[in-house]
Amino acid sequence: MTETARIAHMVGAMVLGLGLFAVWVFDLVGRRAASLDTIAAAAKRVALLYDAVVVPGALLIMASGGWTIVTIHGSSFLEIPWLAGMVILFSLEFVEGNTITRLFFLRLRRTTAAAAADPHGQMPDVQRSFLPSFTHFLDIPVFVLIMSLGIFKPTEWSVLILGCVLAVAVALAQTIYFIPRLNGQDGH
């Protein structure tokens, strides 16, 4: 691997990771907010972060990583558990992030902006949608798993499977337990 490719991987991973973390933080700000204006501002920031930080970071990783995999491994990368896991998880997250999660935040931005513009506007119950919330909260655990696969390079498929189970468990815990309690939506 060339030094240029290493730098591109590193920059792409840092940009993507920081973007995902910033999206997560602004989403929490929006979920905890009491006013429609604050929720709308947080949703706008999330959409901006996706477009300006997360997607460019992902595209940089896709280009540099894809080129490296093709030139070094060709199609044999599917026989290497850690590398195949990175490619499969990255591909799934890229598609999911640019469909379910991104569309959710765009819809949230539109509905909160419309509700904030109406003097009697009330916040639609968009933030409680299970699937978009779950896929959004899956982003960081899967990112950590992908980075861990690249760092530790496990040779057993069981490590990849265990990592996926843990990532899903963390996302489910956030979606079902942690976030509703944080927002006071647990009925207590």
Side-chain angles (χ1 to χ4, degrees), residues 24-63:
W24 185 78
V25 167
F26 279 110
D27 177 56
L28 290 182
V29 167
R31 288 175 188 269
R32 294 210 32 108
S35 77
L36 285 170
D37 290 334
T38 306
I39 296 169
K44 184 177 181 179
R45 286 184 183 102
V46 165
L48 178 64
L49 283 164
Y50 263 113
D51 291 344
V53 181
V54 173
V55 171
L59 291 174
L60 183 56
I61 289 173
M62 187 184 330

Side-chain angles (χ1 to χ4, degrees), residues 74-158:
S75 63
S76 68
F77 80 91
L78 290 171
E79 299 166 11
I80 306 168
W82 66 269
L83 190 54
M86 289 178 74
V87 170
I88 291 166
L89 289 170
F90 181 83
S91 300
L92 291 173
E93 272 297 305
F94 189 80
V95 170
E96 171 275 317
N98 284 295
T99 56
I100 298 170
T101 303
R102 189 170 189 282
L103 294 174
F104 165 72
F105 282 111
L106 290 173
R107 187 177 75 172
L108 179 64
R109 188 171 119 194
R110 277 192 316 272
T111 57
T112 54
D118 181 359
H120 303 293
Q122 298 213 359
M123 180 58 203
D125 208 15
V126 174
Q127 287 178 311
R128 293 187 188 190
S129 301
F130 177 79
L131 182 62
S133 294
F134 170 72
T135 59
H136 166 61
F137 292 127
L138 190 59
D139 287 344
I140 291 177
V142 169
F143 175 77
V144 170
L145 176 57
I146 291 169
M147 293 297 107
S148 298
L149 290 171
I151 292 167
F152 298 111
K153 297 178 177 37
T155 57
E156 300 294 323
W157 290 100
S158 59

